[in-house]
Amino acid sequence: MEEAGDPGGLSPDQVERCMSAMQAGTQMVKLRGGSKGLVRFYFLDEHRSCIRWRPSRKNEKAKISIDSIQEVSEGRQSEIFQRYPDGSFDPNCCFSIYHGSQRQSLDLVSPSGDEARTWVTGLRYLMAGISDEDSLARRQRTRDQWLKQTFDEADKNGDGSLSISEVLQLLHKLNVNLPRQRVKQMFKEADTDDHQGTLGFEEFCAFYKMMSTRRDLYLLMLTYSSHKGPLDASALQRFLEVEQKMTGVTLERCQSIIEQFEPCPENRSKVMLGIDGFTNYARSPAGDIFNPQHHDVHQDMTQPLTHYFITSSHNTYLVGDQLMSQSRADMYAWVLQAGCRCVEVDCWDGPDGEPIVHHGYTLTSKILFKDVIETINKYAFIKNEYPVILSIENHCSVVQQKKMAQYLTGILGDKLDLSSVSSEDATVLPSPQMLKGKILVKGKKLPATISDDAEAGEVSDEDSADEIDEDCKLLNGDASTNRKHVENIAKRKLDSLIKESKIRDCEDPSDFTVSTLGRPGHKAEGRTAEEDTESGEDAGASRRSNRVLVGSFSKRKKKSSKLKKAASVEEADEDLDLQGSQARGATRQRKTMQLSRALSDLVKYTRSVGSHDVDTEVACSWQVSSFSETRAQQILQQKPAQYLRFNQHQLSRIYPSSYRVDSSNYNPQPFWNAGCQLVALNYQTEGRMLQLNRAKFSANGNCGYVLKPPCMCHGIFNPNSEDPLPGQFKKQLVLRIISGQQLPKPRDSMLGDRGEIIDPFVEVEVIGLPVDCRKEQTRVVDDNGFNPMWEETLVFTVHMPEIALVRFLVWDHDPIGRDFIGQRTLAFSSMMPGYRHVYLEGMEEASIFVHVAISDISGKVKQALGLKGLFLRGPKPGSLDSHAAGRPLPRPSVSQRLLRRTASAPTKSQKPSRKAFPELILGTQDAGSEGEAHDVAPPSPGPTPQALAWEEPGGRSPRSPRVRN
């Protein structure tokens, strides 16, 4: 057997032996961090696509996909293994599998070292094969695996075939609502072997293909083939040029596409692309809405750091809340590999002279500073070489600061050496390109007035205060007399918070006032009545629970006129949030701290300074000012143009309010609008805000740096203005939401797959400057999550597309609310024009099919109500827009209209409550009130399939609700 670290050197026989051993399975012990492990039987599935185990209460869901594995490490390296004393296990028998978006670890102990090496080698071999795949091969493999998995799960009796009853149950699970007679007919056509009455896997694939033939794509294909059927090379060329806006498309290229995607040998021999081939091409990465060039770094990386947005993490070491959760070094590995380029390290004096990392004055666990730096050194540049900023929050004594400096220089070595960076102009920062492979230490620096011989000196600590508020922290950093009392309060209240709100970000996306968790005695400002509920959270409960939590700590706080010792660089701004001493009831005193020369000398371009007055001229660009979200929001409201100019000359870092003890996240977009570079988020809390962050930085190869638009780097404007850039062209985005494919039931559905078939609708949101923020929705399609048709057009005007994000959400309509199904968010600049699929994030096959058209418009946008009716066309024979083509719609009764208005799903009869569409078409009228607007569509450069239609079963008028039993 080859070394486990070299899977590429295996011979075919060795690979096969390794795979066979893994498929046969091994009984291993899974460690959980407690005293007792779990004995489980682990094996590689027959498709070599996932690891499974038994016994498990999860049954078929007990698996880890090979796709999701990030790393396989040998020995006792993980944080879980470190909890067990040395000698507990033979290191040769130990290995860890890191998987999932949050880098969870599966820590296993095998019976022997040979079996452990077999698993490590085999998994690394499979991972290497996946990483070498191109995106087309990966998508095809994923689809094949999904079909096989779907077949296996539907085969209830395990006989390797599906009966008609099993197929009907499967269709319900897949949200397919077809007449039983139609299903039986397709079943009979697919059942071609000797075993009549059941479908084998190949027959099931044929059945599924019949069932999933795309009518929307078929009509589109007919449009460009002049109704002759398959597309020849010239027709395909015309489609790509006219609709997809591709340039330089040759006939040879079109012939290559046909050869690659057409499955039918007869069509391939004639160089024709049939419906199956056209579907394959449309669902391939070539038909994705995301610009494939943006998977790689494509922006200019030679400008000063101040000209970039830089993805940043807050309290990187924490895996959960800010009061009681675990601190883990491998969080740095996960965050850095996710593209983050600024990580935070809170350093405190530890036992035995070893500095430690944890959240001060709380019950969070402690980890060694040395382990954190070793992890950062290992993972900083695995995914990209652009510089990492190490934000040091220093609370250590001079002795342990020297130890920190020793670890930094000894472990990071040349990564800290900036002598090769030829940038000595203090008014300009170096570029990401110049700093490739370097780690910048952000921290305090000794002033030039202190003697060079001094090993330490006094520096101002005015920009520091406790990051955890006085209300919430323990009185001491050690085990004090009140520790148990505080621990019980914290556990009780955090448990309540988790149960009531699921601890997710709750901002209303259309509201640009940051709403922090309520402070005692102060109203939470900037909230609207409608809260974002994409994750099903109760926003009101979240706010109430947070106030209760903070209030419970306030009760034990004794009145005092003295401020306690500083705990974090960032908290100066917390003192300033509500004009400083007035909020605290105390007069701030000048604070200082002792700083080691050795640690100070490691800081060059990123010196931590107090939050400057944004009106003053910035003399030196080699510094970073930190602002709490509330302080930054005050500045953004009062001096937006000055804040923008301030961020042109130096870096600024925004961090969450100390009252976000649940590690929730604020909305980062307002701070990006002001040009703030380092907008730090809690990476451990998945949700809307982290999805916006991912979308933002996906636009430049996920390298952690996104170039600001030129108007943010030079000049000045008010980002909060209704016309921020007068005289400049704006973008008009015309989105036609055509159809959906294989939309699943909501994840929190009470009955799971047995629940009723969904009634989906699509919501599209543009997020950017306040003037650009807008939401629009389609109608509801009844009882069809498999292939719903909407065919509705939504129009948006965007003043600054360079910083705008576009968010697609799919909801399941219910008369008393709506259930979240999935979302996909991407940068406006990353959208491709033409007919595109929008794949929902984290879902294998679920997508929506859209047409994207972007054009320039000029002049001041004139707002008017009711123009949506121009684009949501009424029933007309031969139109894709109506499920009731050719039938007049009766006026709904009063009771129907009242019932309909109780739902959160949209109706054509509703007038927009948000800003209206821009007035783009002359001579129009408000025809939306009755939902029977004339058929007026935005101009299209080429033919569209709107003249061809079918009657879609299962649809319903937006004004006719269906009451569920």
Side-chain angles (χ1 to χ4, degrees):
M1 179 71 68
E2 293 286 328
E3 280 296 311
D6 183 25
L10 297 175
S11 68
D13 287 343
Q14 289 173 318
V15 169
E16 204 51 47
R17 285 201 301 272
C18 197
M19 296 297 111
S20 297
M22 293 167 66
Q23 287 178 320
T26 307
Q27 187 165 287
M28 293 187 274
V29 177
K30 172 189 174 182
L31 300 185
R32 299 183 296 173
S35 58
K36 187 178 180 181
L38 298 174
V39 177
R40 295 289 183 267
F41 184 77
Y42 291 86
F43 61 96
L44 181 68
D45 75 334
E46 60 178 313
H47 313 297
R48 300 179 180 178
S49 63
C50 58
I51 304 168
R52 293 183 176 272
W53 60 90
R54 57 177 183 260
S56 173
R57 286 177 295 181
K58 297 179 181 178
N59 298 322
E60 288 298 319
K61 294 183 179 180
K63 62 182 179 181
I64 295 174
S65 167
I66 302 297
D67 284 352
S68 71
I69 298 177
Q70 299 182 14
E71 181 187 2
V72 181
S73 66
E74 299 175 83
R76 295 164 39 89
Q77 296 188 33
S78 76
E79 190 266 341
I80 294 291
F81 273 117
Q82 297 302 317
R83 298 186 197 175
Y84 291 84
D86 291 340
S88 299
F89 310 104
D90 180 356
N92 294 322
C93 299
C94 302
F95 66 98
S96 299
I97 301 169
Y98 295 94
H99 63 97
S101 60
Q102 296 202 17
R103 198 177 160 83
Q104 301 101 313
S105 69
L106 174 62
D107 303 284
L108 300 173
V109 181
S110 67
S112 69
D114 285 343
E115 286 176 292
R117 280 191 294 276
T118 295
W119 276 90
V120 171
T121 302
L123 290 174
R124 287 178 177 172
Y125 176 85
L126 292 170
M127 290 166 62
I130 288 172
S131 65
D132 290 342
E133 283 182 330
D134 60 30
S135 52
L136 175 62
R138 185 177 296 114
R139 180 158 290 172
Q140 185 59 49
R141 175 178 54 79
T142 301
R143 183 173 177 79
D144 292 343
Q145 289 174 357
W146 180 85
L147 276 171
K148 181 60 177 171
Q149 178 186 333
T150 301
F151 177 83
D152 290 342
E153 292 178 0
D155 183 13
K156 302 298 183 183
N157 58 10
D159 63 355
S161 61
L162 300 184
S163 65
I164 185 65
S165 63
E166 288 173 325
V167 166
L168 289 169
Q169 289 180 43
L170 173 61
L171 295 187
H172 186 84
K173 174 184 175 181
L174 295 177
N175 285 308
V176 180
N177 185 21
L178 287 175
R180 184 178 290 258
Q181 202 58 38
R182 173 64 179 144
V183 174
K184 289 181 177 179
Q185 179 186 345
M186 289 191 294
F187 186 96
K188 188 175 181 180
E189 290 177 19
D191 189 7
T192 56
D193 65 6
D194 296 335
H195 303 286
Q196 292 294 298
T198 60
L199 300 180
F201 178 66
E202 295 301 326
E203 292 174 315
F204 168 72
C205 290
F207 172 84
Y208 186 84
K209 180 179 170 183
M210 278 188 277
M211 181 180 68
S212 56
T213 297
R214 295 275 298 278
R215 297 174 292 175
D216 49 355
L217 290 177
Y218 180 67
L219 294 181
L220 181 59
M221 184 185 74
L222 287 180
T223 302
Y224 277 87
S225 67
S226 301
H227 305 281
K228 295 177 182 177
L231 296 170
D232 59 19
S234 61
L236 179 59
Q237 181 186 41
R238 190 160 58 96
F239 167 76
L240 296 177
E241 290 176 342
V242 173
E243 293 293 353
Q244 308 300 83
K245 307 302 180 190
M246 294 173 62
T247 57
V249 181
T250 64
L251 287 175
E252 289 76 16
R253 169 64 180 144
C254 294
Q255 291 166 0
S256 172
I257 290 174
I258 293 171
E259 180 64 29
Q260 183 179 8
F261 291 97
E262 177 54 51
C264 174
E266 183 180 351
N267 282 344
R268 275 204 311 271
S269 65
K270 296 178 181 178
V271 196
M272 302 286 280
L273 192 67
I275 182 58
D276 293 331
F278 189 54
T279 303
N280 290 341
Y281 176 76
R283 288 187 65 82
S284 77
D288 196 287
I289 194 170
F290 188 83
N291 188 334
Q293 293 181 356
H294 290 194
H295 287 301
D296 301 314
V297 176
H298 65 95
Q299 295 179 349
D300 178 9
M301 303 300 286
T302 63
Q303 299 191 32
L305 286 178
T306 47
H307 290 189
Y308 296 86
F309 300 111
I310 306 169
T311 182
S312 308
S313 164
H314 171 253
N315 285 359
T316 311
Y317 48 89
L318 290 179
V319 301
D321 66 79
Q322 303 287 310
L323 292 181
M324 303 182 63
S325 65
Q326 288 184 355
S327 304
R328 279 174 34 187
D330 59 14
M331 288 296 290
Y332 291 89
W334 167 56
V335 164
L336 288 167
Q337 291 187 95
C340 185
R341 295 290 90 183
C342 179
V343 295
E344 185 176 11
V345 186
D346 281 325
C347 308
W348 299 80
D349 280 353
D352 304 321
E354 289 289 335
I356 57 174
V357 174
H358 78 119
H359 197 196
Y361 305 119
T362 70
L363 302 175
T364 56
S365 63
K366 303 172 177 64
I367 54 178
L368 291 176
F369 176 79
K370 178 184 178 183
D371 291 345
V372 168
I373 302 306
E374 286 177 340
T375 303
I376 292 172
N377 182 57
K378 181 177 179 181
Y379 291 98
F381 304 112
I382 284 182
K383 292 297 178 74
N384 76 79
E385 294 184 286
Y386 291 102
V388 170
I389 299 173
L390 193 57
S391 183
I392 299 287
E393 300 297 325
N394 176 16
H395 315 292
C396 292
S397 62
V398 171
V399 173
Q400 295 209 13
Q401 287 179 40
K402 291 179 180 178
K403 195 70 172 284
M404 288 167 58
Q406 290 174 11
Y407 285 137
L408 287 166
T409 54
I411 295 170
L412 300 180
D414 292 342
K415 296 182 179 71
L416 294 178
D417 183 9
L418 300 175
S419 59
S420 61
V421 180
S422 56
S423 178
E424 295 304 323
D425 182 358
T427 63
V428 180
L429 281 167
S431 69
Q433 184 68 31
M434 294 170 65
L435 293 168
K436 265 189 170 184
K438 300 299 181 183
I439 293 179
L440 304 179
V441 177
K442 171 187 166 291
K444 296 182 186 300
K445 194 167 179 66
L446 291 174
T449 55
I450 294 180
S451 168
D452 292 341
D453 298 330
E455 291 189 4
E458 191 175 77
V459 295
S460 171
D461 205 23
E462 283 298 297
D463 58 326
S464 299
D466 296 328
E467 187 171 3
I468 186 70
D469 195 86
E470 295 286 336
D471 297 355
C472 305
K473 72 180 184 180
L474 296 174
L475 297 181
N476 299 292
D478 56 7
S480 59
T481 53
N482 71 334
R483 181 185 179 93
K484 197 68 180 176
H485 171 67
V486 175
E487 183 175 355
N488 289 336
I489 293 175
K491 281 183 177 177
R492 205 161 52 240
K493 297 305 176 185
L494 280 173
D495 285 346
S496 172
L497 199 61
I498 291 169
K499 289 175 183 176
E500 290 190 39
S501 69
K502 300 183 181 178
I503 305 189
R504 295 205 179 168
D505 32 314
C506 305
E507 271 96 355
D508 180 349
S510 63
D511 181 11
F512 276 78
T513 303
V514 174
S515 51
T516 59
L517 305 179
R519 298 184 178 218
H522 296 277
K523 286 186 177 181
E525 297 180 356
R527 299 305 294 241
T528 65
E530 180 183 329
E531 297 292 340
D532 185 74
T533 57
E534 286 161 29
S535 301
E537 68 273 3
D538 179 350
S542 176
R543 295 196 304 277
R544 288 193 301 274
S545 298
N546 278 283
R547 284 195 290 268
V548 170
L549 174 59
V550 172
S552 69
F553 282 102
S554 297
K555 289 176 184 177
R556 65 177 182 82
K557 179 185 175 185
K558 295 183 179 179
K559 294 182 179 179
S560 172
S561 61
K562 295 182 179 180
L563 289 177
K564 293 189 169 61
K565 188 179 182 298
S568 166
V569 163
E570 298 172 343
E571 289 306 308
D573 306 313
E574 285 299 334
D575 283 348
L576 296 173
D577 283 352
L578 294 172
Q579 305 303 316
S581 59
Q582 184 179 355
R584 303 281 190 218
T587 302
R588 296 192 62 200
Q589 301 175 357
R590 186 177 185 276
K591 296 177 292 181
T592 60
M593 65 171 290
Q594 289 292 310
L595 179 64
S596 160
R597 166 74 65 182
L599 196 57
S600 171
D601 288 347
L602 297 178
V603 178
K604 185 173 183 180
Y605 297 119
T606 48
R607 177 169 65 99
S608 295
V609 297
S611 53
H612 283 63
D613 182 350
V614 297
D615 284 321
T616 60
E617 190 75 21
V618 175
C620 177
S621 292
W622 295 5
Q623 59 191 27
V624 184
S625 294
S626 291
F627 303 87
S628 73
E629 58 171 293
T630 43
R631 174 61 178 150
Q633 183 62 25
Q634 288 174 353
I635 299 172
L636 184 57
Q637 289 174 341
Q638 296 165 8
K639 303 176 181 179
Q642 295 91 322
Y643 202 13
L644 185 78
R645 184 178 58 193
F646 176 84
N647 289 322
Q648 292 172 358
H649 300 288
Q650 74 156 72
L651 297 176
S652 65
R653 179 174 182 266
I654 315 300
Y655 60 91
S657 162
S658 66
Y659 282 87
R660 291 187 182 273
V661 293
D662 59 352
S663 294
S664 61
N665 280 313
Y666 54 85
N667 186 351
Q669 187 65 48
F671 307 113
W672 290 330
N673 292 344
C676 299
Q677 297 88 354
L678 301 160
V679 181
L681 298 178
N682 291 307
Y683 267 62
Q684 70 271 36
T685 306
E686 182 56 50
R688 172 189 170 84
M689 305 314 169
L690 220 52
Q691 290 159 3
L692 300 185
N693 195 65
R694 277 198 297 271
K696 178 81 171 175
F697 291 97
S698 294
N700 193 30
N702 200 33
C703 73
Y705 290 82
V706 168
L707 188 63
K708 296 181 188 178
C711 61
M712 278 191 164
C713 301
H714 312 283
I716 189 168
F717 69 93
N718 181 357
N720 297 336
S721 168
E722 288 191 6
D723 191 11
L725 299 170
Q728 292 195 17
F729 279 108
K730 306 163 186 64
K731 295 290 185 184
Q732 183 190 70
L733 171 63
V734 180
L735 273 174
R736 193 155 87 250
I737 311 298
I738 301 171
S739 63
Q741 295 78 43
Q742 300 174 45
L743 305 176
K745 293 178 173 62
R747 291 180 182 176
D748 56 354
S749 175
M750 290 181 61
L751 297 176
D753 293 335
R754 295 179 292 110
E756 59 185 3
I757 293 173
I758 63 172
D759 306 328
F761 68 95
V762 177
E763 178 181 79
V764 179
E765 179 183 5
V766 172
I767 304 155
L769 295 182
V771 69
D772 292 336
C773 291
R774 186 179 179 81
K775 280 184 183 180
E776 289 298 332
Q777 300 171 329
T778 68
R779 65 184 173 88
V780 175
V781 171
D782 280 346
D783 289 338
N784 190 350
F786 189 73
N787 55 0
M789 290 293 301
W790 292 286
E791 261 295 338
E792 297 194 23
T793 303
L794 313 176
V795 182
F796 301 86
T797 297
V798 183
H799 291 70
M800 190 178 289
E802 298 93 335
I803 65 169
L805 305 174
V806 181
R807 186 165 170 83
F808 297 85
L809 300 108
V810 181
W811 300 90
D812 177 22
H813 166 61
D814 189 278
I816 59 171
R818 59 183 185 176
D819 294 318
F820 177 65
I821 292 175
Q823 66 83 34
R824 173 81 179 276
T825 309
L826 69 160
F828 185 101
S829 60
S830 295
M831 285 199 305
M832 294 290 284
Y835 287 94
R836 302 289 170 180
H837 280 93
V838 182
Y839 285 92
L840 302 185
E841 186 176 328
M843 299 184 185
E844 293 173 340
E845 293 294 313
S847 64
I848 53 178
F849 188 50
V850 303
H851 183 273
V852 180
I854 300 172
S855 58
D856 289 328
I857 57 173
S858 60
K860 189 170 182 179
V861 178
K862 186 177 179 182
Q863 304 291 349
L865 291 173
L867 292 184
K868 182 175 178 180
L870 292 169
F871 303 106
L872 300 184
R873 300 176 293 280
K876 177 180 177 180
S879 169
L880 282 174
D881 283 7
S882 176
H883 63 281
R887 288 186 285 123
L889 290 173
R891 184 176 178 84
S893 66
V894 173
S895 61
Q896 285 177 324
R897 278 178 283 168
L898 286 174
L899 177 60
R900 182 63 181 175
R901 287 172 184 172
T902 64
S904 59
T907 70
K908 289 183 184 177
S909 59
Q910 285 178 317
K911 288 191 176 182
S913 59
R914 299 167 297 280
K915 292 181 180 179
F917 283 112
E919 198 166 10
L920 302 170
I921 301 176
L922 300 177
T924 60
Q925 60 180 344
D926 181 2
S929 60
E930 292 300 318
E932 296 188 27
H934 297 291
D935 191 347
V936 180
S940 174
T944 65
Q946 291 172 348
L948 300 164
W950 58 87
E951 181 172 332
E952 181 190 358
R956 82 168 184 268
S957 164
R959 301 186 301 277
S960 302
R962 176 177 62 85
V963 180
R964 297 187 179 188
N965 295 323

